[in-house]
Amino acid sequence: MSKIIFFCHAERSTLDSFEYYKQDIDALKALNHQVIICTKFREIPLNYDVMFIWWWTYALYPVLLSRLLRKPCIITGTFNFRYPKDFNGRDYFNRPFWQKLLIKMATELSTLNLFVSQLELLNCSEYFKLKNARYYPHIIHDDYLQGPIKQREKALFNISWSGKENLKRKGIPELLIAIQLLKDEGILVKLYLGGMYGDGVDYLLTMIKDLKISDEVKYLGMLSREDKIKMLRTSEIYVQPSHYEGFGLATAEAMGCGACVIVCDTGAVKEVVGDFGYYVSPGSSIDLAYAIKHVLFDDNLRHKLQESACQRIYSNFTFDKKLERLKKYLSEIGIL
């Protein structure tokens, strides 16, 4: 049994709330390693076998410590390397110089960098000239993989952290406008919005009020894991019109739960969804409104997409596949 430090500069209470942290902790434990969770630099002990680090932004100190102690270290996460030119978000190139320098140094000095998409693996490997980069996608825990359910509410669901900039990246303003456009046509569509509270909650609620769609849109706020799975399993459609996704974990979860997904072909979305979602143009509320109307009222199309989406997740993004990759990468750095 190896002693592995799982380091993430985050609130300890969020480690179970965010699925991407939870699945890596669970995978390390499933491989019979002793996992010590640290969320602050001062908590990191000197006696360990390998450091498993989430997020490159805060990785340099743990990486330097590991180099000093001659211990291997791994960094993973969504890199958000480069957003589309028509979207002004906080990708790697829009960070301050000092942050880019810290990230670059951590990336080059770590033993392995595990990227969650082939897109970011390719982009970062070429840009930083990396030889220590590997593919390590997110997966869907088994309790999501329940398959399609015939009795679903003809409603839309989306889950996004309500930080203002994140809401914009996720395309939520366009989604709300699409609901308004449908309402103007006399088509009343129910939309449920969930997600951890952020600095954009007031922005979100004000927009809902100003668009006069308060009866159609229900803001659920932070959901428990059980409630999130329930919403994914009982809503006909999961809609995620993001301007960029480094992976798209919530979309994959929705597919595993049997929901039909409406998405944009941006970032790594197509790596996850393949040909088994309904694609719309990013930033277009008109396109999104048409897609919602089309999918919601075409039962044959929706059911076909739901069933094929489930099969794609079952075939490509299961917990067993994460264990296989993680075991391989740990073995590569001498951890058996």
Side-chain angles (χ1 to χ4, degrees):
M1 177 188 293
S2 296
K3 183 183 291 186
I4 298 181
I5 303 297
F6 179 93
F7 177 80
C8 179
H9 187 76
E11 293 296 326
R12 187 174 288 266
S13 60
T14 66
L15 298 185
D16 280 334
S17 303
F18 287 98
E19 195 73 25
Y20 39 80
Y21 298 147
K22 175 178 169 51
Q23 61 184 235
D24 281 341
I25 294 171
D26 288 349
L28 290 167
K29 290 180 177 178
L31 293 175
N32 296 317
H33 297 297
Q34 179 186 357
V35 180
I36 300 172
I37 297 172
C38 300
T39 58
K40 296 179 175 59
F41 295 139
R42 65 175 180 271
E43 295 175 349
I44 300 174
L46 299 181
N47 180 23
Y48 61 88
D49 296 303
V50 62
M51 182 94 70
F52 189 97
I53 306 161
W54 249 91
W55 304 119
W56 284 267
T57 312
Y58 299 98
L60 185 57
Y61 171 75
V63 168
L64 290 175
L65 177 63
S66 296
R67 296 280 293 210
L68 180 65
L69 297 174
R70 297 184 179 182
K71 306 285 188 181
C73 58
I74 297 171
I75 313 176
T76 193
T78 304
F79 202 93
N80 290 331
F81 180 70
R82 191 190 296 274
Y83 289 162
K85 292 180 180 179
D86 57 354
F87 181 71
N88 185 27
R90 194 165 179 264
D91 61 11
Y92 173 77
F93 296 95
N94 277 333
R95 289 176 176 271
F97 172 77
W98 64 270
Q99 282 190 6
K100 288 192 288 186
L101 180 61
L102 294 181
I103 292 171
K104 181 176 185 294
M105 291 176 64
T107 304
E108 293 174 346
L109 291 172
S110 65
T111 312
L112 286 180
N113 294 282
L114 304 184
F115 293 97
V116 300
S117 69
Q118 296 282 6
L119 174 71
E120 295 204 328
L121 173 65
L122 175 63
N123 288 340
C124 292
S125 295
E126 289 183 349
Y127 184 79
F128 296 112
K129 296 180 173 54
L130 299 177
K131 295 183 179 179
N132 60 349
R134 306 290 184 270
Y135 178 53
Y136 183 66
H138 296 309
I139 54 84
I140 311 306
H141 259 302
D142 292 345
D143 51 350
Y144 285 86
L145 300 176
Q146 302 284 335
I149 296 176
K150 293 184 179 180
Q151 296 300 320
R152 289 176 176 266
E153 182 181 0
K154 279 204 170 180
L156 312 177
F157 180 52
N158 170 276
I159 186 162
S160 301
W161 171 56
S162 59
K164 187 173 181 179
E165 295 307 311
N166 189 63
L167 291 172
K168 293 178 179 178
R169 178 176 67 85
K170 295 286 187 178
I172 303 305
E174 295 94 318
L175 175 56
L176 297 179
I177 294 171
I179 298 299
Q180 181 199 41
L181 292 174
L182 290 170
K183 184 176 182 179
D184 290 344
E185 287 186 45
I187 301 171
L188 304 181
V189 177
K190 196 66 153 180
L191 168 63
Y192 297 99
L193 297 175
M196 181 173 285
Y197 294 102
D199 64 3
V201 172
D202 290 341
Y203 163 79
L204 176 64
L205 296 178
T206 298
M207 190 172 185
I208 293 170
K209 181 180 178 182
D210 290 346
L211 291 172
K212 297 182 173 56
I213 52 174
S214 298
D215 291 337
E216 289 71 40
V217 181
K218 184 174 182 181
Y219 178 60
L220 304 175
M222 183 66 185
L223 297 172
S224 68
R225 192 168 188 271
E226 292 74 18
D227 286 340
K228 179 179 73 167
I229 294 174
K230 180 180 178 181
M231 289 300 302
L232 291 171
R233 298 199 68 209
T234 57
S235 301
E236 287 280 10
I237 298 172
Y238 183 82
V239 57
Q240 189 76 78
S242 300
H243 292 265
Y244 182 86
E245 290 286 352
F247 180 83
L249 180 56
T251 300
E253 291 171 346
M255 293 168 68
C257 285
C260 174
V261 298
I262 297 176
V263 293
C264 300
D265 184 7
T266 56
V269 169
K270 202 152 195 176
E271 290 183 32
V272 177
V273 178
D275 296 325
F276 308 117
Y278 196 105
Y279 289 92
V280 299
S281 302
S284 174
S285 295
I286 294 174
D287 197 9
L288 187 53
Y290 173 81
I292 292 169
K293 179 170 59 174
H294 186 191
V295 175
L296 202 58
F297 295 106
D298 187 335
D299 292 346
N300 289 332
L301 172 63
R302 192 176 65 256
H303 293 157
K304 181 180 178 181
L305 289 173
Q306 288 172 340
E307 291 175 5
S308 57
C310 273
Q311 290 304 315
R312 179 168 177 81
I313 298 302
Y314 281 44
S315 300
N316 295 282
F317 301 104
T318 59
F319 190 65
D320 285 345
K321 292 187 179 299
K322 176 173 278 284
L323 291 182
E324 289 174 11
R325 287 191 175 96
L326 185 56
K327 184 177 181 180
K328 176 184 176 181
Y329 299 146
L330 288 173
S331 177
E332 187 177 332
I333 61 175
I335 305 298
L336 303 177

